[in-house]
Amino acid sequence: MQPEQIKKERAEDSAKLENRATLLVKCPDQPGIVSVLSTFLFRHQANIIESSRYSSNPENGTFFIRLEFTCEKLSSKAAEMEREFKLIADDYKMDYDFHYLSKRQRSAIYVSKELHCLLELLWEWQNGDLETDIAVVISNHEDAREIVESFGIPFYYLPANKDIRKEVERQQIALMKEYEVDVLILARYMQILTPDFVNHFESRIINIHHSFLPAFIGANPYDRAYKRGVKLIGATSHYVTNDLDEGPIIEQDVERVDHRDDVATLKKIGRQIERRVLTKAVKWHLEKRIIVEGNKTIVFH
Amino acid sequence: MQPEQIKKERAEDSAKLENRATLLVKCPDQPGIVSVLSTFLFRHQANIIESSRYSSNPENGTFFIRLEFTCEKLSSKAAEMEREFKLIADDYKMDYDFHYLSKRQRSAIYVSKELHCLLELLWEWQNGDLETDIAVVISNHEDAREIVESFGIPFYYLPANKDIRKEVERQQIALMKEYEVDVLILARYMQILTPDFVNHFESRIINIHHSFLPAFIGANPYDRAYKRGVKLIGATSHYVTNDLDEGPIIEQDVERVDHRDDVATLKKIGRQIERRVLTKAVKWHLEKRIIVEGNKTIVFH
Amino acid sequence: MQPEQIKKERAEDSAKLENRATLLVKCPDQPGIVSVLSTFLFRHQANIIESSRYSSNPENGTFFIRLEFTCEKLSSKAAEMEREFKLIADDYKMDYDFHYLSKRQRSAIYVSKELHCLLELLWEWQNGDLETDIAVVISNHEDAREIVESFGIPFYYLPANKDIRKEVERQQIALMKEYEVDVLILARYMQILTPDFVNHFESRIINIHHSFLPAFIGANPYDRAYKRGVKLIGATSHYVTNDLDEGPIIEQDVERVDHRDDVATLKKIGRQIERRVLTKAVKWHLEKRIIVEGNKTIVFH
Amino acid sequence: MQPEQIKKERAEDSAKLENRATLLVKCPDQPGIVSVLSTFLFRHQANIIESSRYSSNPENGTFFIRLEFTCEKLSSKAAEMEREFKLIADDYKMDYDFHYLSKRQRSAIYVSKELHCLLELLWEWQNGDLETDIAVVISNHEDAREIVESFGIPFYYLPANKDIRKEVERQQIALMKEYEVDVLILARYMQILTPDFVNHFESRIINIHHSFLPAFIGANPYDRAYKRGVKLIGATSHYVTNDLDEGPIIEQDVERVDHRDDVATLKKIGRQIERRVLTKAVKWHLEKRIIVEGNKTIVFH
């Protein structure tokens, strides 16, 4: 497919969702919250089509809910709804987030020399299964340029190493701003980010780590898995925080291996796990299915 | 543990749940249902602790919801709540079912010569993980008597074959009545039931079939799986209807096998699958997590 | 990567395997076979690096073995080895097959409008994980042309329907001959093949069926899985025979689904299963890990 | 079943295996080993029925093989075979181990208050699926006595704590000697063993750790898994060495969990994983399918 064709199809996908929205709410638990929320939506002629909730503790805990609803002429009513909702939110001490599905989130993919995760994301996006606009791809190598540009997506080569990190991150932040990026996807980017950078995009940087965390934090997890003789290897997608590989876990998966599998084979098997784990995590983020709470995630899938 | 001790512990488990209930609702989908339900519960000072919903179709479909709630002094308020709820239910054309968790459902286990599913259920029950009173065990063989009676559970030997089926089923129905049985669990009972018997306990007979349905309906599924050379074998738990192995599926699972596995090995591996699939299905039934809709199940787990 | 670059890398992969071969043997079981085979290889200074065997039955059954070995200057010794081996094979009534890994098998991929399986194969091939030369791609639609030709692989559009089947198959057979194709991969080709065509390529046509066979043989398996309310969906890769979807199964896998998943979602989940199941089956075929025995496969992975 | 009946059946199982043996070999890799071994067995009219091999490295590595064979009148020929084999073993610098399947290994199960792993082992043993004589059960609590003694198995209560460890271990070693125990199974024994004790039973103590090692080494893994917010929990069976939870891993498995699962639920799910992982590991040990190499295992399953 030509780049223009893909973009046209993705835009049509968005248009179909023009009356659809999600509402994420977090507040102190108390009786009556669901009643208030559902009555509010009902009054605005919104029809709930999906609803998931979680209480951290039956008594005295925190309440979380994700509502997905449709509403005729949503774009013209949204401002009024949000204004009115603010009053309820104040009453109940709610953190909340309205998201309109026709307004696709914009993503940046960061990649290094290993391209399998990038390719999986591009493929899912081209296929219409990833509801995002891939705004830009950033890499510290040139390997991905050709494939990325063939999709009509801007590609930036920015070298990365300890000495120039601050300067490179300044450029990256400028690019994120220029391209109005909502979410950063580290698709095997393999670079340490500074606290400044991480704080700038809190709970908006998704990483894939090539181990079953918290096992094998840090470098060379497949080599260490091989050396330890584990019988399953895994991958973990998580939000990036300033503790290396310690951020809130979004998704994990594993595959069986055995004594015959050398490090190269572990990497090959691992690539399959990484591809699907990162893609799932990104989809859930884009669909506003994830709430970060402390160092954990609530995932309403 | 002595039988008396187990029963005492199970009774204590129930007592702890005295203010807890579930409400299952099915009705034509329309805006405002969640609002009505949650407002009703709020008015009765009930606190929703779990809620799962499903619409068969965003427009013009059927709406299903399972609410689990706590409510102070529930036993003294239940009658009034139910009376009042009837009015709402009439308005919205709801099918519904209140279930009070302190009132444990009573189960009968039907078994033949293969005891692994029975033993798994007994073990989970003894352990406090199966919220039921096992009222009686019925078998067409004597093999299970010793273990069943050692738990203080009544055991009845009723021979079974085509010629005496009607008479035996009459006795079985009488026993189900005598022991006030809510749910019948066919733990590898391996006998065909008559339509009369099945209709008598609609959506209350849970079977485990030793294949991944709809593959290998009927007799000797492991032999046929071996002959077909499948690379995964499975088990399926379903409600019994008058179409053999065609009832609503509750749960399924599989395990990997290969060319080296003969029929005896398939059976051995299969026993592990059957144990966990049946146990899951029974738990979900007991926790009122299942709604049968047509020939399918909605399982809110 | 440019097509020339990929081909160059793949050729280098082959060159590295110039002293490596596999030997598949099938014969009536009897004591001493392993002794004869291993002594034969030892005499020729071949070093066994992998060996897998299977006896259909300890007594009076059939014996199967796959040996992978390295041997210095293999290409110059192969003819003599094969000549000598023929004597042993005659003695022990062996069917056997020597395969030299540096001589990559040539494959044809048949595809229709759904491209996910084709793309997975192309990606694995480009990546160096699929030891084959993709000689040609055949399709009854034009959708795949652009991507296929971008890899420098010839693409043929051959319309397909019942009325012209014989004529089209004649052209296909001619193409298979022209491109010296060893194995035909039906990557969601979705066309019935005639017995003539199937017999022409016995045990060399690999299909992916989008269900967990033998469940949902034939058309529209995802619709039927949805209607039946299964809790797992699957895909099956098998050799094509003249009984539709009844050929020897090579590999199967499943994923969990639930009542919320509509047919479109089942198809989306299914695509992931199909991709990995077909790719595994093709790899095992290319690595000579599969022996077809009756209507079953022995897979030495 | 009565204890006598179970023992009778298990003894009959053994008798059926009187002509069956395994031979495990480890030696420096070199051409011709398989030829030598298979020729040796052929000369003794032994028929190989299963054979698995592994080379740590195609060149200059270590070679491992497990052969399972049948041989008429094995008991009368075994001494001569072993004598003769010693000469080969010396030539090729082989470590080796003949094991006659009719001579069941004797096991001791160590348990604390959590009985699920013990019960699974007892059930598999009673069922004929665990080829061992359970010689004795040791516990630092009285909970298991009743069930163990009901199977006719001796039960010893030996209190355990840091202060009396040395003395208790002396008693345990004496009991292992008295009951001629071959393998020690720590079925959630939850006690630290001294280096002396561990060295006394090198590669013969099998533990189940309730996490996916190397994640959550040490105490309270489920609490820590909950706190970390992992999306899968696991269990690991390994040989005990003097580095806590760092011994060679035999088998691991995982189950999916989510944010709703509290620590009690994780433990419940974990019990199912622990049961099946430990049982598999024990079976493979009993069937001589495991070779310990450095801090890893080669498992020929």
Side-chain angles (χ1 to χ4, degrees), chain B residues 119-120 123 129 271 275, chain D residues 119-120 123 129 268 275:
Chain B
L119 285 172
E120 184 78 14
W123 154 256
D129 287 341
R271 283 202 290 264
R275 284 160 67 182
Chain D
L119 285 172
E120 185 77 14
W123 154 257
D129 286 341
K268 202 178 285 189
R275 284 160 67 182

Side-chain angles (χ1 to χ4, degrees), chain D residues 45-296:
Chain D
Q45 279 97 47
N47 198 13
I48 302 172
I49 54 172
E50 206 183 309
S51 156
S52 310
R53 43 163 285 158
Y54 170 66
S55 302
S56 65
N57 193 325
E59 10 208 326
N60 232 337
T62 306
F63 176 83
F64 306 85
I65 194 165
R66 176 188 184 274
L67 296 159
E68 188 165 335
F69 58 91
T70 54
C71 185
E72 290 294 303
K73 298 185 187 160
L74 181 56
S75 60
S76 64
K77 292 156 90 177
E80 173 58 23
M81 278 177 79
E82 291 206 35
R83 192 155 40 235
E84 202 182 302
F85 191 78
K86 203 181 168 309
L87 304 174
I88 295 173
D90 287 348
D91 261 18
Y92 286 82
K93 300 198 175 66
M94 290 175 174
D95 288 339
Y96 67 99
D97 174 33
F98 278 93
H99 173 65
Y100 303 93
L101 273 69
S102 60
K103 197 186 156 296
R104 297 164 73 84
Q105 290 189 70
R106 295 174 60 80
S107 56
I109 303 176
Y110 284 65
V111 70
S112 187
K113 287 174 82 75
E114 297 242 43
L115 305 188
H116 53 284
C117 287
L118 169 68
L119 285 172
E120 185 77 14
L121 292 168
L122 288 172
W123 154 257
E124 290 288 281
W125 169 75
Q126 158 179 11
N127 214 28
D129 286 341
L130 208 63
E131 293 176 12
T132 186
D133 291 326
I134 303 181
V136 60
V137 174
I138 311 274
S139 181
N140 57 334
H141 291 277
E142 285 285 1
D143 305 61
R145 180 183 294 277
E146 190 183 320
I147 181 77
V148 169
E149 292 184 345
S150 80
F151 281 101
I153 298 168
F155 174 91
Y156 289 84
Y157 164 71
L158 294 179
N161 66 57
K162 239 174 54 185
D163 301 334
I164 56 173
R165 187 162 292 155
K166 288 259 165 199
E167 172 50 27
V168 168
E169 287 191 349
R170 250 192 301 276
Q171 296 175 48
Q172 289 173 339
I173 290 174
L175 282 168
M176 296 306 96
K177 205 167 175 185
E178 179 187 342
Y179 284 98
E180 299 174 60
V181 164
D182 298 300
V183 54
L184 287 69
I185 305 163
L186 309 188
R188 299 292 307 268
Y189 179 53
M190 316 296 287
Q191 296 292 319
I192 304 285
L193 305 172
T194 69
D196 270 6
F197 189 88
V198 170
N199 295 339
H200 206 279
F201 302 102
E202 197 193 339
S203 297
R204 292 198 287 143
I205 312 177
I206 298 174
N207 186 40
I208 180 77
H209 183 72
H210 38 320
S211 85
F212 181 84
L213 289 175
F216 309 123
I217 288 173
N220 301 320
Y222 291 126
D223 297 76
R224 288 151 67 203
Y226 174 78
K227 217 176 144 202
R228 182 62 187 92
V230 294
K231 300 299 183 183
L232 297 165
I233 57 166
T236 303
S237 187
H238 63 95
Y239 287 110
V240 175
T241 63
N242 284 314
D243 295 310
L244 180 64
D245 299 331
E246 297 276 15
I249 293 171
I250 305 170
E251 172 67 346
Q252 310 188 277
D253 207 352
V254 295
E255 289 276 341
R256 201 155 276 281
V257 297
D258 72 25
H259 59 270
R260 297 171 302 178
D261 298 314
D262 57 14
V263 174
T265 305
L266 297 190
K267 285 181 182 173
K268 202 178 285 189
I269 295 169
R271 283 201 289 265
Q272 304 283 345
I273 317 174
E274 296 163 31
R275 284 160 67 182
R276 65 173 186 261
V277 167
L278 178 60
T279 303
K280 276 190 183 172
V282 168
K283 280 186 193 177
W284 293 335
H285 179 93
L286 293 171
E287 292 166 15
K288 295 278 180 181
R289 295 186 177 280
I290 311 175
I291 298 177
V292 176
E293 173 67 357
N295 202 43
K296 298 168 71 168

Side-chain angles (χ1 to χ4, degrees), chain B residues 210-227:
Chain B
H210 39 319
S211 85
F212 180 83
L213 290 175
F216 308 122
I217 289 173
N220 301 319
Y222 290 126
D223 297 78
R224 289 150 67 204
Y226 173 77
K227 218 177 141 201

Side-chain angles (χ1 to χ4, degrees), chain A residues 194-259:
Chain A
T194 70
D196 271 5
F197 189 89
V198 171
N199 294 338
H200 206 279
F201 301 101
E202 197 193 341
S203 296
R204 292 196 289 145
I205 311 176
I206 298 175
N207 186 40
I208 179 76
H209 183 72
H210 39 316
S211 85
F212 181 84
L213 290 174
F216 309 122
I217 288 174
N220 300 321
Y222 291 126
D223 297 77
R224 289 150 67 203
Y226 175 77
K227 215 174 146 203
R228 181 63 188 92
V230 293
K231 301 299 184 183
L232 298 166
I233 57 165
T236 303
S237 186
H238 63 94
Y239 288 111
V240 174
T241 62
N242 284 314
D243 295 311
L244 181 64
D245 299 331
E246 295 278 14
I249 293 171
I250 304 169
E251 173 66 347
Q252 308 188 279
D253 207 352
V254 295
E255 288 278 341
R256 199 156 279 282
V257 297
D258 72 26
H259 60 269

Side-chain angles (χ1 to χ4, degrees), chain A residues 32-275:
Chain A
I33 301 173
V34 177
S35 171
V36 165
L37 292 171
S38 53
T39 304
F40 166 81
L41 288 172
F42 181 49
R43 255 193 303 114
H44 288 273
Q45 280 96 47
N47 197 14
I48 302 171
I49 53 170
E50 207 183 309
S51 156
S52 308
R53 41 165 286 158
Y54 169 65
S55 302
S56 66
N57 192 325
E59 10 208 328
N60 231 338
T62 305
F63 176 83
F64 306 85
I65 195 165
R66 177 188 183 274
L67 295 159
E68 188 165 336
F69 58 91
T70 55
C71 186
E72 290 294 303
K73 298 183 188 159
L74 180 56
S75 60
S76 64
K77 291 156 92 177
E80 172 59 23
M81 279 178 79
E82 291 208 34
R83 194 157 38 238
E84 202 181 301
F85 191 78
K86 202 182 169 310
L87 304 175
I88 295 173
D90 287 348
D91 262 19
Y92 285 82
K93 300 198 174 66
M94 288 173 176
D95 288 339
Y96 68 98
D97 174 32
F98 277 93
H99 173 64
Y100 302 95
L101 273 68
S102 60
K103 198 184 157 299
R104 296 163 76 85
Q105 292 190 69
R106 295 174 61 76
S107 55
I109 302 178
Y110 284 64
V111 69
S112 187
K113 286 175 83 77
E114 296 243 41
L115 304 188
H116 53 285
C117 288
L118 169 68
L119 285 173
E120 184 78 16
L121 292 168
L122 288 173
W123 154 257
E124 290 288 282
W125 169 76
Q126 159 180 10
N127 214 28
D129 286 342
L130 208 61
E131 295 177 10
T132 187
D133 291 327
I134 303 181
V136 60
V137 172
I138 310 274
S139 181
N140 57 336
H141 292 277
E142 286 285 0
D143 306 62
R145 180 183 295 276
E146 190 183 321
I147 181 79
V148 169
E149 292 185 344
S150 80
F151 282 101
I153 299 169
F155 174 90
Y156 289 85
Y157 164 70
L158 294 179
N161 65 58
K162 241 174 51 186
D163 302 332
I164 56 171
R165 187 162 291 154
K166 288 259 165 198
E167 173 49 27
V168 168
E169 287 191 349
R170 250 192 301 275
Q171 296 175 47
Q172 289 172 339
I173 290 174
L175 283 169
M176 297 303 99
K177 206 168 174 186
E178 179 186 339
Y179 284 97
E180 300 175 59
V181 166
D182 297 301
V183 54
L184 288 69
I185 304 165
L186 309 188
R188 298 291 310 268
Y189 179 52
M190 315 297 287
Q191 295 294 320
I192 303 284
L193 307 171
T194 70
D196 271 5
F197 189 89
V198 171
N199 294 338
H200 206 279
F201 301 101
E202 197 193 341
S203 296
R204 292 196 289 145
I205 311 176
I206 298 175
N207 186 40
I208 179 76
H209 183 72
H210 39 316
S211 85
F212 181 84
L213 290 174
F216 309 122
I217 288 174
N220 300 321
Y222 291 126
D223 297 77
R224 289 150 67 203
Y226 175 77
K227 215 174 146 203
R228 181 63 188 92
V230 293
K231 301 299 184 183
L232 298 166
I233 57 165
T236 303
S237 186
H238 63 94
Y239 288 111
V240 174
T241 62
N242 284 314
D243 295 311
L244 181 64
D245 299 331
E246 295 278 14
I249 293 171
I250 304 169
E251 173 66 347
Q252 308 188 279
D253 207 352
V254 295
E255 288 278 341
R256 199 156 279 282
V257 297
D258 72 26
H259 60 269
R260 297 172 301 178
D261 299 314
D262 57 15
V263 175
T265 305
L266 297 191
K267 285 182 182 173
K268 201 178 288 192
I269 295 169
R271 283 202 289 265
Q272 305 283 344
I273 318 175
E274 295 163 32
R275 284 160 66 182

